Amino acid sequence: MLAGSLVGACETPDPWPPTNRTSTTSTTGPTTSTSPAPRAEGEIWQWAIGRNLWDDPALQRYARDLGTSWEHTDAHVQSQGFALTADGSGVVTAVTLFNDETALGLPVSETSYRAYQGRLPLGLTWRTTADDLISMYGPANQSGGYGTSITFSYREAGHALEVAFAARHERDLPGSPIHSIVVREVPEG
């Protein structure tokens, strides 16, 4: 569990858990919906979860133009450093933010991600190491290693944060930079 002081530990804290914001007025003109149109404010990881990849005007461009896999319902936006994971009905269930994969030494291809340029959750930066994360937020549930990415998982108030490091072995973890960050809603319970 994330400590209650987690948000307070950041100089300019981002809301945690992320919140979906809705507008009280529509700036896009008349709509057929009786509820206000949701606006895309803040970072994509703060507002995209729970919105429909195919129907939401702020997300449709990613579904239509940027590598949507209808089989897996993920929109990969490599040039902007993120991916949107959606369920079978198109509702975004997770947002994955990526560090620059070329700078991390991963093989270069047309599917390589550039670094996400927005603010990261919890005041993290792409220079945050595994040691930094542990000292800031305490130990986490850890998975991976033995040739796969090592991931730290934190959970609080219905949201999960999974931070994957470039390290593939425990010996490389202490100074390893972040490779990706997944933000998702999880059921309470």
Side-chain angles (χ1 to χ4, degrees), residues 53-54 68-75 84-91:
L53 186 59
W54 300 298
T68 299
S69 166
W70 295 105
E71 196 173 290
H72 300 288
T73 63
D74 292 351
L84 304 171
T85 301
D87 64 16
S89 65
V91 175

Side-chain angles (χ1 to χ4, degrees), residues 49-166:
I49 296 172
R51 293 170 69 166
N52 192 288
L53 186 59
W54 300 298
D55 296 338
D56 189 299
L59 293 175
Q60 282 177 331
R61 63 185 168 170
Y62 304 125
R64 183 176 53 249
D65 297 331
L66 298 171
T68 299
S69 166
W70 295 105
E71 196 173 290
H72 300 288
T73 63
D74 292 351
H76 299 277
V77 191
Q78 290 92 343
S79 65
Q80 294 180 41
F82 69 87
L84 304 171
T85 301
D87 64 16
S89 65
V91 175
V92 175
T93 59
V95 176
T96 305
L97 309 173
F98 289 90
N99 197 349
D100 188 295
E101 293 183 326
T102 303
L104 291 175
L106 298 174
V108 178
S109 74
E110 68 275 356
T111 60
S112 295
Y113 282 90
R114 299 189 63 172
Y116 178 74
Q117 295 298 307
R119 287 173 43 197
L120 302 179
L122 306 175
L124 301 175
T125 71
W126 292 125
R127 292 179 311 278
T128 302
T129 65
D131 284 347
D132 296 335
L133 188 63
I134 291 170
S135 69
M136 293 183 329
Y137 303 115
N141 291 330
Q142 183 178 325
S143 61
Y146 303 103
T148 64
S149 294
I150 297 175
T151 302
F152 288 5
S153 299
Y154 296 94
R155 183 175 172 168
E156 167 118 342
H159 288 83
L161 184 73
E162 299 164 8
V163 182
F165 292 90

Side-chain angles (χ1 to χ4, degrees), residues 3-67:
S5 63
L6 187 62
V7 172
C10 304
E11 284 184 17
T12 54
D14 291 318
W16 182 264
T19 56
N20 291 329
R21 295 177 175 90
T22 55
S23 167
T24 55
T25 60
S26 173
T27 58
T28 59
T31 63
T32 57
S33 172
T34 57
S35 63
R39 291 177 37 190
E41 295 178 3
E43 303 295 339
I44 191 138
W45 56 269
Q46 293 173 309
W47 60 264
I49 296 172
R51 293 170 69 166
N52 192 288
L53 186 59
W54 300 298
D55 296 338
D56 189 299
L59 293 175
Q60 282 177 331
R61 63 185 168 170
Y62 304 125
R64 183 176 53 249
D65 297 331
L66 298 171

